[in-house]
Amino acid sequence: MTVPLFNIGGFTIYLFGIMIAIGVGTGYILALKEAKRKGLDVDKVSEFLVYLIIVGIIGGRLGFVLTYRPYFFLTHPLEILKIHDGGMAIHGSLVAGILFSIWYVRKYKLNFWKIADLASPGLAIGQAIGRIGCDIFGYAMARPWPWGIKVNGQLLHPVQVYEFLLDYIMFFVLWRKRDKIKYNGQLFIIYVIFFNIK
């Protein structure tokens, strides 16, 4: 159940959208902080991140369209543009983001692994914050636990809570490790491992 917060000009603003925006903003600020600490060109990194955010939104939408409701969107193509009605897939954002990053760093002769490392903690905290606004759904509990969420009369595991807690742990590990890496790309590899495990 997506939680509506308020309405502006006929558009309903949902908790999920607000939390995604806060998550993206926080990740952006942390990535710039890391760029400055690593002695990289902050303006170039900032420009790259803005493009990356746009590509991530497009990729997230296309990921949802192709994965969850392809037939519906094939027959109602204009609905693809109604991103305000919901429907994003983080896997689509990540795939699109990685492909775009590879192209961008080659074009502008940047170090892909350095860029990936500085972005990794921001990705983790962005996911953690964004998950707070996710719809509540999950797996049915085999036995009742106090933290179960009742949806349509069924007690479910709050999967989003599990995920954002794991995302915060992932962020903590990456943030503590960021100035102790042994090679460029190590943080990004840790991020990918964490993402796939959870």
Side-chain angles (χ1 to χ4, degrees):
M1 63 197 84
T2 304
V3 181
L5 295 179
F6 49 87
N7 192 285
I8 298 179
F11 290 95
T12 302
I13 306 301
Y14 295 94
L15 175 63
F16 180 63
I18 293 293
M19 298 313 295
I20 288 289
I22 293 172
V24 168
T26 303
Y28 173 81
I29 291 168
L30 288 184
L32 290 185
K33 180 181 176 73
E34 278 298 278
K36 186 174 181 180
R37 186 181 70 83
K38 288 174 175 284
L40 299 174
D41 187 324
V42 175
D43 290 334
K44 273 189 179 179
V45 172
S46 177
E47 181 181 90
F48 163 72
L49 291 174
V50 170
Y51 288 136
L52 188 63
I53 290 167
I54 295 170
V55 169
I57 292 170
I58 295 171
R61 182 59 171 173
L62 290 178
F64 176 83
V65 167
L66 296 173
T67 304
Y68 296 101
R69 303 180 69 191
Y71 179 75
F72 171 80
F73 287 109
L74 185 65
T75 54
H76 302 80
L78 292 180
E79 294 294 317
I80 296 173
L81 302 177
K82 295 183 179 179
I83 196 170
H84 58 279
D85 284 338
M88 297 284 284
I90 190 169
H91 301 86
S93 295
L94 289 174
V95 170
I98 290 171
L99 292 176
F100 169 77
S101 299
I102 292 170
W103 171 82
Y104 190 92
V105 298
R106 283 184 176 176
K107 181 176 181 180
Y108 293 100
K109 296 178 172 58
L110 301 172
N111 186 309
F112 173 83
W113 297 110
K114 279 187 178 179
I115 298 293
D117 275 349
L118 73 85
S120 294
L123 278 171
I125 194 65
Q127 284 175 221
I129 295 171
R131 279 292 177 191
I132 296 172
C134 275
D135 298 351
I136 296 174
F137 66 91
Y139 298 108
M141 287 185 162
R143 54 173 292 188
W145 293 98
W147 57 84
I149 303 293
K150 189 165 280 190
V151 178
N152 297 325
Q154 188 176 30
L155 201 61
L156 305 177
H157 284 284
V159 175
Q160 277 70 13
V161 175
Y162 299 161
E163 287 206 18
F164 83 65
L165 289 175
L166 289 172
D167 285 335
Y168 279 116
I169 292 170
M170 175 167 62
F171 167 72
F172 179 76
V173 170
L174 293 172
W175 193 250
R176 291 291 300 272
K177 183 77 176 172
R178 74 192 192 285
D179 56 355
K180 302 182 183 75
I181 59 173
K182 296 178 180 177
Y183 54 88
N184 290 325
Q186 187 177 9
L187 279 189
F188 181 66
I189 290 170
I190 294 171
Y191 168 82
V192 170
I193 292 170
F194 255 99
F195 183 84
N196 284 283
I197 288 174
K198 75 184 189 64

